[in-house]
Amino acid sequence: MTTNAELAARFEEFADLLEADGVEYKPRAYRRAAENVRAYPSPIADRVDAGDREAVESIEGVGDAIASKIVEYVETGSVEELEELRAELPIDMADITRIEGVGPKTAGKLYRELGIETLDDLEAAAEVGEVQEVKGFGPKTEQNILDNLEFARTVGQRQLLGEARPLADDVLAFLESIDAVERCAVAGSIRRWRATIGDVDALVATDVREDVIDQFVAWESVDDEIESGPEKASVRVGEIRVDLRVVVPEEFGSALQYFTGSKDHNVSLRNYAIDRGMKLNEYGAFDVDEIDDPDSGQRVGERVAGETEESMYDALGLPWIPPELRENRGEIAAAENGELPELITREDIRGDFHTHTEWSDGNTTIAAMVEAAAELGYDYFGIADHAEGPGIVGGMGLSDAEILEQIEEIRAVGDEAEIEVFAGIEANVDADGEIDLSDEVIDALDVIVASTHSALDQDAETATERLVHAVENPAIDIVGHPSGRLLNQRSGLDYDVTAVGRAAAEHGTALEVNSDPRRLDLWGSAVQAALEAGAKIAIDTDSHQPATLEYMRWGVHTARRGWAEPIDVINTWDLTELREFLH
Ligand code: DGT
Ligand code: CA
Ligand code: CA
Ligand code: ZN
């Protein structure tokens, strides 16, 4: 069914194209209509289906003409006039208008004068000096376009947690160094450790707001100031946008709660509060049960919490909820019932099973990897280089004979090491869910990680059967990066996690949380579904060098997003328990 958001997006596109076409006034009317359509409290398509034209026309900013277009879109899936405009102006509007100073009107001009449709076209034209020849442009504008191209290309993408979080840590360190800052924290998706990040949100408590804002925008790492005002500022650092909000200390907790989100968590929490005679917002928690303001008729209430985040949850009779859980996947009910999980922490991790060496595509020796693992304080560590097979570049993966040879070296290193070293392999789950290793190799190995590297475009039913088949294989201990997704690049297999999780539970196979920030696969909701189905997980780094053993950080927080407790994660277990699982 057509959603209001979809209708609104069509009218915004309409407005952009009309503007590009040089039409006046109409674009504004269409944008206003889009806004009201988006905010309309029930599906407009339902009104259309019910033949209630009057209701459609009664939406603010929607007159007879726009109502007709709404009906046309709901009934046919397109609007003829919009299709004509699209054909007339085939511009990649979203991309091109991401360049600072280039709006739809300018984009239209560039198309008419120079035939520019895409960012690539624009770059080519600017590089040979054609843009500065267009009336209203000049050398300065042209240079500005060239300077902004790279940013415009990447900003459409969400940033990886592994890139944004280190920046967030730098932001925090900088804010802490400012004298006037009493407290600071990151908020938003980065505090919830989402796999991808739209922007970095930071929050400061201070009594001298403008001071802090001034110092923040002057931070040496800042590449661009996007905007700044008395209570907030936005800057760009590299490709990442950082939003800072500055509040008084009494409101730090309520603002932190509000700006951490997720939006869905906040909506549910606010409703939970309303049911209990409370009101929540970024300024505090208010008891509105008793008090009515006789003048306005509005309930104002007494402020009962807000200085700390704990106080906000406490005001509702709830324990504090870890940010990773705030996705509205049952955390409020769990908090109410005293059933919040005791989430796993980095300190619970005793080893890593999926790591590579120069025997396949890693960059160092078995001994060097084992030494780095020992330095992390691990009790055990597994080498799992690539076996040859589907999806693995020819010559890079190990044959059965080479695997047997490598096992000997792993044993030799293990004899010298302070920690237990497992001889493992990363086998390839083929399109049918089979792996290709001889019985001799299977018997000689301690751990078999089997991963998806090929046929990642299967339909969900086939992919589910494939993964179920893999977890049923008694030789396989861990299914590595089950979907095969690469963030911002490919979505990977779509499959029924619950079905695979059930089979994994039954057959004693673990599902991997691959901690490589380009993968994070399983991800939060998938971990949660797998655990609910009874499966165990393994958090691995898939390291190809010692430094990335630190990727464990991303995997642990991803597992926390899936409600994982230490007992759910096999690499928190001691050697005896683990050996039994690996049999
Ligand atoms: P992102 O940046 O796209 O990765 O995701 P977030 O969750 O960081 O979203 P962002 O940066 O737009 O806003 C930060 C938080 O502020 C968000 O998680 C919840 C809160 N917030 C922002 N806008 C709204 C809103 O319109 N309603 C509610 N309830 N909360 C909002
Ligand atoms: Ca954000
Ligand atoms: Ca933000
Ligand atoms: Zn690997």
Side-chain angles (χ1 to χ4, degrees), residues 518-562:
R518 289 162 297 185
R519 294 191 182 273
L520 296 179
D521 176 17
L522 307 169
W523 49 87
S525 58
V527 170
Q528 192 178 16
L531 294 182
E532 270 169 16
K536 298 295 176 196
I537 60 171
I539 309 177
D540 293 323
T541 63
D542 201 352
S543 281
H544 290 65
Q545 53 182 311
T548 57
L549 292 175
E550 300 285 359
Y551 283 173
M552 191 57 78
R553 184 187 192 198
W554 317 126
V556 166
H557 284 283
T558 300
R560 288 167 63 91
R561 286 175 58 76

Side-chain angles (χ1 to χ4, degrees), residues 341-362:
E342 295 278 346
L343 294 177
I344 184 178
T345 66
R346 174 67 184 75
E347 287 68 42
D348 294 317
I349 297 290
R350 299 190 185 196
D352 191 341
F353 301 109
H354 179 175
T355 68
H356 296 264
T357 74
E358 60 193 14
W359 279 74
S360 64
D361 57 348

